[in-house]
Amino acid sequence: MAEGTADVAEVSYAPPQPTDTDIRAQLERIVASPALAASPQQVALLRFIVEETLAGRQDRLKAYAIGLEVYNRPASFDPQADSIVRVEASRLRRRIHQFYLSDGSADPVRIELLPGSYVPRFSFAAPAEEEAQPEPPPLPPQRRRPRLWPAAGLTGLGLGLCAMVLALWGLWGRPAAPPLAWDVASTVAAERRKPTIVVATFRSQSSDPEDTHFSSGITEGIIERLTRFRLLRVLKVPHDKESQATGGVELAAARAVGARYAIEGSTHRDQERVWATVRVLNVETDEYVWAGSYERHLDVGSLIDVQDDIARQIAAAIGEPYGVLSRSEMEGLPRYRAKSLNSYDCLLWALHYWANISQDNHWRGRKCLEKAVEREPEFALAWAYLAYFYIDEYRWHFNYRAEPPPMIRAKEAARRAITLDPDCAAARLALSAVAFFSGDLALFRSSGEKALRLNPNNGEHLASFGTRLAYSGEWEQGIALVREAMELNPWHPDWYLLPLAFDAYRRGDYAGALREWRRLHLPELYWTHVLGVMINGELGNAAEAAAARADLLALFPDYAATAVRDFQVWNFEDSLIDAFIDGLAKGGLPVPDIRR
């Protein structure tokens, strides 16, 4: 690191580990708490995974074994077809999180179930973990032309306005400058930039007080989750109990506070099922931009879980990148030049770029974000997004600038974002991406996990981190996160399918890989065609392999010479790279193995 630069932090404290007795005592506190007491299935799951881990049998904690041992599934159980383990683990993870936010907030022993894993982690509560910055890897050789970026793993930057706080300069190796002054005008401007959304209390179609309480619980759950997407300004308004006129009170309240959107909904349930409907209204145009419905079956003691699941699904559909609001906000955006956009619009332009990959969109997005951080140097989220543009520049040589080197700029942008707001999930994920492409897989994982803890409802974060986790060898956990992201976001980008295709290929399921590949609609991403050559080569589909090879070479004429380097940068294991090379050769594209 250059002298005079200020790192985010350095690891200086390794906390002791709790004993088995400590862990079992904490387990009993959790299962007896209101967060889990009414969920016998999750209690059984938690007891099983804790005891198996204490016994040193954590290697057994796979979906198949859990299905047999905890949920009494038969030997023919297929975790891909029957999602009970994945669903219950996701619910358990949220229940544990609730416990530590309430009854267990002061408990010294922590039991965590991290996203994408069935192995619990045990620790003592300690000060916030501080992270060392990775050094960037050597720069890639100069390429004759820019390359398209496979969006998988690089687009997990969900919307969330990061708090504006004091920070130190110290970028590009310059001596640290005085702290930034608090810019009141800029803060007010940022608040006005954010779309305001009013959430009305959901109506129950029954007069039963329990049903009314259930509806109110869904409302509170939606609000709590939407506030984690901190680029939104979320307000609540109670409905008029004397009037059941749909939308009237909400619309008036939304207009009174200058809101751009209003959410309204209703619930209904019987002995076996629960229904919820939700609508999002554009207050400025009086048009409904989205309506959705949800149906869940009730099990004994599962009403809270159903309430939680519905709230999470609705909040994710509305608030996450490529969700209802971001798609509505991005309408018409491509008509404008980057220089005419304000700082908030630059974030939308970045999402537009990741959905429509091109060198031109990269240039416009990078220019816009650089202007945004110049105008508002305390805008943490813009710095986080900019880090990803620099990673693209390094990784694919998009609009390459040699000085300062792109990975140095990416590291410094991620550092600035975290310095401004250590609790910004997008900033933590940007640091995770920098670490991943720097080969620091420990920091990659710890930073990515922290990002998911900060906002577990952001499908883009789940899919992005899950993709990189899978490619680095944690396939089961990574793919589980990608699938969870797909369940959260019905409008997910096609790049979510890329790790599924690679996973099927590495398992030798070439027919399954072909199905995923044929669902892809990413003609400008050269990895689409790399997969096409490999998969069709393995299956002996000569014509399709030849077509994919032609498309690949049109985008990347010298791919064969750089294929191994391409796979290595994504941290694929050597044995898997061997399989990729073999598939490419069978598809008519021999690749020299530069490792030998």
Side-chain angles (χ1 to χ4, degrees), residues 497-498 500-520 528 531-541 544-545 548:
L497 301 171
L498 286 169
L500 303 186
F502 274 111
D503 180 50
Y505 184 94
R506 64 108 189 170
R507 291 186 284 104
D509 180 11
Y510 302 124
L514 184 66
R515 285 193 299 272
E516 300 295 353
W517 176 70
R518 286 177 172 167
R519 293 170 61 197
L520 282 169
T528 298
L531 278 166
V533 175
M534 290 162 39
I535 296 168
N536 287 292
E538 291 287 355
L539 291 172
N541 299 334
E544 286 194 80

Side-chain angles (χ1 to χ4, degrees), residues 67 150 218:
I218 288 182

Side-chain angles (χ1 to χ4, degrees), residues 42-59:
Q42 290 165 36
V43 168
L45 174 59
L46 181 58
R47 287 190 182 280
F48 179 74
I49 63 177
V50 167
E51 291 298 338
E52 289 296 291
T53 301
L54 292 179
R57 296 189 292 269
Q58 56 264 42
D59 58 324

Side-chain angles (χ1 to χ4, degrees), residues 131 428-429 431-432 442-452:
E131 297 157 338
R428 291 289 173 179
L429 204 67
L431 176 63
S432 176
L443 180 56
F444 147 69
R445 182 155 188 164
S446 65
S447 296
E449 289 171 350
K450 185 160 189 175
L452 298 193

Side-chain angles (χ1 to χ4, degrees), residues 310-357:
I310 291 175
R312 187 185 189 216
Q313 289 280 341
I314 292 173
I318 292 172
E320 75 158 32
Y322 309 107
V324 173
L325 296 191
S326 64
R327 289 185 299 117
S328 177
E329 292 286 287
M330 282 192 286
E331 286 183 5
L333 185 65
R335 295 196 299 267
Y336 300 98
R337 296 288 181 178
K339 65 181 181 181
S340 69
L341 303 177
N342 62 36
S343 299
Y344 167 70
D345 290 333
C346 290
L347 303 182
L348 296 179
W349 186 272
L351 293 178
H352 170 74
Y353 159 63
W354 289 316
N356 303 273
I357 306 299

